[in-house]
Amino acid sequence: GIQVEQSPPDLILQEGANSTLRCNFSDSVNNLQWFHQNPWGQLINLFYIPSGTKQNGRLSATTVATERYSLLYISSSQTTDSGVYFCAVERLGAQKLVFGQGTRLTINP
Amino acid sequence: KAGVTQTPRYLIKTRGQQVTLSCSPISGHRSVSWYQQTPGQGLQFLFEYFSETQRNKGNFPGRFSGRQFSNSRSEMNVSTLELGDSALYLCASSLLRSEQYFGPGTRLTVT
């Protein structure tokens, strides 16, 4: 099946810093989503981005489908950005998301 | 528009018992998927339903089953619970072939 690798596994930054999270996948996909898991476990949708670039406030994402990777950018990090970020992909016709192992982001004040 | 809801939020069961979890999708969404999250295995796909039909199933034993009703609400059942079934169970809904939205999850503890 399709493999999804996220890097780095852990990232510790000071408040105000910028960060880049990467997601590599091993096959063509028709769906790619970025999520932030809150402390209670709920997955919060950040981006639905099978290709191209999107921005939402301090967050932006880029997916280069032909090279099978996606990047999530967080600028001017805040302590509330802390948590685990997941990338998940879906192959055409698969009807299921395959998740990476996540990047645990810690923002220190 | 209300989000995906899951009940109960927390559950404690004993080995050998069975459990039923419920998920109500976003209004108008007909696809419902279930995922299990554990510290060791991460997030893994259980099954997906569309219009009361199971379209895809993950690599889980037959003790895990589910169904979807005509109003798109879904239930999943785990029989003969094992300690390893302790996990966060997440439900997601979507329109056909589009972005998935997750509920708050049910945290199951098996003792």
Side-chain angles (χ1 to χ4, degrees):
Chain A
I2 193 168
Q3 305 297 313
V4 182
E5 293 185 5
Q6 291 186 243
S7 60
D10 292 279
L11 187 57
I12 302 174
L13 298 170
Q14 290 298 121
E15 201 167 22
N18 300 329
S19 57
T20 301
L21 283 59
R22 187 176 179 100
C23 171
N24 292 334
F25 44 96
S26 60
D27 204 347
S28 300
V29 299
N30 70 308
N31 178 8
L32 187 146
Q33 294 184 241
W34 283 97
F35 298 94
H36 178 206
Q37 189 163 40
N38 70 19
W40 298 273
Q42 184 161 8
L43 291 171
I44 307 300
N45 290 44
L46 297 177
F47 293 102
Y48 170 69
I49 188 167
S51 64
T53 298
K54 291 186 177 180
Q55 180 157 7
N56 184 4
R58 295 182 296 105
L59 275 61
S60 64
T62 294
T63 297
V64 184
T66 53
E67 297 187 23
R68 298 179 186 169
Y69 73 89
S70 183
L71 301 173
L72 176 68
Y73 305 96
I74 305 174
S75 64
S76 304
S77 298
Q78 302 174 359
T79 56
T80 52
D81 295 329
S82 295
V84 183
Y85 290 79
F86 288 100
C87 165
V89 304
E90 178 179 357
R91 290 177 56 193
L92 184 64
Q95 291 120 26
K96 69 176 185 180
L97 287 174
V98 177
F99 284 80
Q101 289 300 308
T103 291
R104 181 173 298 278
L105 177 64
T106 302
I107 304 298
N108 292 321
Chain B
K1 184 181 276 191
V4 179
T5 58
Q6 292 187 243
T7 57
R9 294 292 311 278
Y10 302 91
L11 206 49
I12 300 175
K13 289 286 189 178
T14 305
R15 272 182 301 175
Q17 289 186 317
Q18 75 167 17
V19 66
T20 299
L21 311 181
S22 181
C23 171
S24 293
I26 292 171
S27 178
H29 286 192
R30 294 167 63 190
S31 172
V32 174
S33 302
W34 289 88
Y35 296 82
Q36 180 198 63
Q37 185 177 25
T38 60
Q41 299 299 317
L43 280 149
Q44 293 187 289
F45 170 78
L46 282 158
F47 23 66
E48 188 263 356
Y49 288 87
F50 182 85
S51 292
E52 302 178 67
T53 300
Q54 185 183 92
R55 295 195 300 177
N56 199 356
K57 189 177 192 302
N59 188 24
F60 280 82
R63 300 184 297 105
F64 291 80
S65 63
R67 59 178 176 169
Q68 186 180 33
F69 302 95
S70 59
N71 62 358
S72 294
R73 190 178 69 85
S74 178
E75 289 181 347
M76 67 162 282
N77 184 77
V78 187
S79 62
T80 319
L81 284 165
E82 301 177 359
L83 295 179
D85 298 332
S86 294
L88 179 66
Y89 290 87
L90 293 162
C91 166
S93 77
S94 69
L95 294 170
L96 187 62
R97 287 192 292 274
S98 67
E99 186 173 6
Q100 293 199 26
Y101 295 86
F102 283 79
T106 294
R107 194 167 295 276
L108 171 65
T109 302
V110 182
T111 62

